[in-house]
Amino acid sequence: MEQELPFLVVSDANGNVFELPPYRMTGMSMNTLVLPPPSSLIELPYGSNIFMLPLRHAIGYDPRTGQYKEITEYKGNPVFGASAFMAPAYMQLLRSAYTSCRDVSPLPLYSYTALGWLNGKFYVCGIRIDDDRRQDLENFDLDHIGEQAQDMKQRFKGNRLAAHLVDHCVCRYGCPAARNFVLERWECPLPTSPACNAACIGCISKQPVSSSIKASQDRILFIPEVDEIAEIAIFHLENAPGPVVSFGQGCEGEPLLAGDTIELAIRKIREHTSRGIINLNTNGSKPDVVRRLCKAGLDSIRVSLNSAQVDFYHRYYRPRDYSFKEIIKTLHIIREYGKWSSINYFIFPGFTDSEGEMDALFSLIKDTRINMIQTRNLNIDPAWYIEKMEFKIPQEKSIGLINWLLWVKKEFPWIKTGYFNPSKQGMKKEHFPV
Ligand code: SF4
């Protein structure tokens, strides 16, 4: 088995990565070292990033001794860990194995997947979880996007939301969803809310000043007008292939706090077109608002969750004016209206596939009968997350994420697993629980 394992990849102090034979790549599940099973290895997906892990030392497997070894230097020079941040549509199976030097600051808000090198290629411990190619980098011609973006801004002259999507999302952050908006295809983002009623530890749009980690993007600073939202949404739903418009983006707070505006916008959109899907990505905190949006014409919802266990949920989301039970109520309301419901489920190897978490997820799905699990690699420093969640170490028994996917399929045969909000074509009958 060791033979097939790719070599360990490390980084020098300048971020140059290289393989280090004879050591083989190693993964981590919570804090347990794991030799990646060959079935868990894929070539590094195009569009992924490779990161050096500063002040962290890689752990490799030495086939000569059958032991794991912490690697601190190579030919007298210090070396550090390296990991992959996989492209959209891929699910992490094992995270990078490394030790941290004392009192290090948390790593930035990315996921850190186990990385190796073999026969001239990088390999990662991951799996493609969604065949939809809407965010595959090879589908983005950056020059064409630049021109299209300015044309779109011209087309929606005076529309502040269009200007935000072009100047902020496309030009500043390269957001794949906003790129698809200017390319008039698939899913279009509709950020609306500057505020949020939660304070997630790993919030990518707002971090407390005192926090040692930086938010990956700034939040929208205004609530767009109903007409600004409707103008963009109607155009996109009418013209795009497989059209979806989605409230609730990484560059905003919680859209349900802008529920009045969104309700009027959905009504206006549906007065003009019945085409496509109107989706809401949310923390699910306001079931009454969700009911109003269902009546207005909302088609699908995606509720984000780091855990189906109340304590771990509250420890991560730090909700201000709601609790876990509001999430459940929201998913019940979506079921009541026969709409599509997904959970945006943060994947953390060793926790997601642990007995306690699986039992809780089992009850949640049995109770709320959701249609889909969208897996999201949790973008956070793993060691820092384990500390903040006060996870028991040594950890609970876990079954491995490939087995976890098989378990989901076996226990909930109707459930769709994937990464993206489905279009109308993707919401097949067989994904609705009987
Ligand atoms: S719910 Fe979303 S916007 Fe609000 S704190 Fe959490 S990640 Fe940030």
Side-chain angles (χ1 to χ4, degrees):
M1 180 167 125
E2 287 94 334
Q3 292 320 305
E4 296 151 7
L5 263 187
F7 291 111
L8 176 71
V9 172
V10 297
S11 172
D12 66 16
N14 303 317
N16 302 308
V17 295
F18 55 95
E19 77 280 16
L20 206 58
Y23 299 105
R24 300 286 171 163
M25 81 183 279
T26 303
M28 253 179 171
S29 168
M30 195 68 86
N31 275 350
T32 303
L33 295 171
V34 181
L35 274 187
S39 60
S40 74
L41 296 170
I42 56 171
E43 283 182 31
L44 179 74
Y46 181 70
S48 302
N49 298 95
I50 292 179
F51 293 145
M52 164 194 176
L53 304 175
L55 301 173
R56 289 150 178 92
H57 295 300
I59 299 173
Y61 175 75
D62 187 340
R64 299 166 301 184
T65 62
Q67 302 296 314
Y68 294 109
K69 185 156 182 355
E70 181 194 35
I71 315 291
T72 57
E73 59 95 41
Y74 177 65
K75 294 186 178 167
N77 298 311
V79 290
F80 302 93
S83 82
F85 176 57
M86 291 191 296
Y90 289 86
M91 183 176 116
Q92 175 184 67
L93 298 173
L94 289 171
R95 67 179 183 90
S96 292
Y98 59 83
T99 57
S100 304
C101 301
R102 289 174 64 79
D103 307 326
V104 290
S105 306
L107 294 166
L109 296 172
Y110 296 102
S111 55
Y112 300 92
T113 300
L115 176 72
W117 174 268
L118 191 67
N119 305 333
K121 294 179 184 153
F122 284 110
Y123 285 83
V124 287
C125 270
I127 185 174
R128 184 162 190 136
I129 192 74
D130 200 315
D131 296 332
D132 186 313
R133 309 244 158 224
R134 74 179 71 169
Q135 294 192 5
D136 284 13
L137 191 60
E138 54 265 49
N139 290 334
F140 291 112
D141 170 343
L142 299 184
D143 297 337
H144 180 49
I145 287 170
E147 293 150 21
Q148 279 287 109
Q150 296 318 316
D151 289 356
M152 213 42 124
K153 200 172 164 187
Q154 204 48 42
R155 179 194 297 272
F156 294 109
K157 209 166 173 47
N159 184 318
R160 296 170 305 155
L161 180 55
H164 172 85
L165 290 173
V166 168
D167 300 342
H168 189 83
C169 307
V170 173
C171 300
R172 191 163 160 213
Y173 290 113
C175 166
R179 284 174 172 173
N180 282 328
F181 157 58
V182 301
L183 294 170
E184 302 176 26
R185 62 186 190 183
W186 307 324
E187 186 170 6
C188 163
L190 298 173
T192 51
S193 176
C196 187
N197 56 351
C200 296
I201 288 175
C203 180
I204 58 173
S205 65
K206 191 161 190 172
Q207 283 289 331
V209 185
S210 59
S211 172
S212 51
I213 48 175
K214 212 175 143 320
S216 347
Q217 56 223 346
D218 299 337
R219 273 191 193 163
I220 192 168
L221 299 173
F222 60 93
I223 299 182
E225 297 297 331
V226 169
D227 290 348
E228 290 176 314
I229 297 169
E231 187 186 24
I232 290 172
I234 293 164
F235 173 83
H236 189 78
L237 292 172
E238 286 287 291
N239 295 288
V244 179
V245 292
S246 282
F247 297 100
Q249 299 297 324
C251 61
E252 67 173 303
E254 173 47 45
L256 288 173
L257 301 191
D260 297 349
T261 300
I262 293 176
E263 182 183 2
L264 294 170
I266 293 176
R267 287 191 189 289
K268 183 151 195 155
I269 296 165
R270 285 309 183 211
E271 278 162 19
H272 286 79
T273 178
S274 59
R275 197 166 182 268
I277 293 293
I278 302 177
N279 174 66
L280 174 76
N281 302 325
T282 173
N283 63 19
S285 56
K286 296 191 172 300
D288 299 345
V289 177
V290 169
R291 185 180 291 283
R292 282 166 38 206
L293 300 184
C294 286
K295 287 181 180 155
L298 183 73
D299 300 297
S300 70
I301 201 168
R302 183 183 77 187
V303 174
S304 61
L305 277 182
N306 71 313
S307 171
Q309 299 176 71
V310 178
D311 292 350
F312 292 129
Y313 177 89
H314 282 238
R315 235 170 257 161
Y316 180 83
Y317 279 79
R318 302 184 292 193
R320 296 205 185 98
D321 64 357
Y322 73 97
S323 72
F324 191 79
K325 67 181 188 310
E326 269 73 47
I327 316 270
I328 303 303
K329 266 201 211 132
T330 285
L331 292 170
H332 280 159
I333 287 168
I334 293 293
R335 194 69 297 124
E336 183 191 327
Y337 280 82
K339 309 280 183 173
W340 180 276
S341 58
S342 302
I343 55 171
N344 191 35
Y345 196 45
F346 301 159
I347 300 297
F348 194 75
F351 174 71
T352 307
D353 53 325
S354 65
E355 280 175 2
E357 182 60 17
M358 290 170 66
D359 290 349
L361 183 67
F362 184 91
S363 313
L364 182 146
I365 296 175
K366 278 283 177 211
D367 177 22
T368 61
R369 323 280 295 154
I370 56 171
N371 300 94
M372 182 177 189
I373 297 176
Q374 293 183 28
T375 66
R376 261 313 162 278
N377 303 325
L378 183 56
N379 286 353
I380 203 164
D381 178 311
W384 190 61
Y385 183 64
I386 291 169
E387 182 202 317
K388 288 280 181 185
M389 290 296 108
E390 302 162 24
F391 286 145
K392 278 204 281 319
I393 304 292
Q395 71 191 79
E396 269 186 77
K397 185 168 163 299
S398 57
I399 65 170
L401 285 163
I402 292 280
N403 293 331
W404 176 80
L405 282 170
L406 295 171
W407 169 79
V408 168
K409 275 284 156 236
K410 178 169 160 290
E411 296 295 339
F412 314 106
W414 74 84
I415 280 203
K416 182 182 172 85
T417 52
Y419 190 94
F420 299 112
N421 293 306
S423 63
K424 216 170 235 176
Q425 295 73 13
M427 296 178 174
K428 297 200 169 56
K429 212 165 172 324
E430 77 246 25
H431 293 307
F432 280 84
V434 285

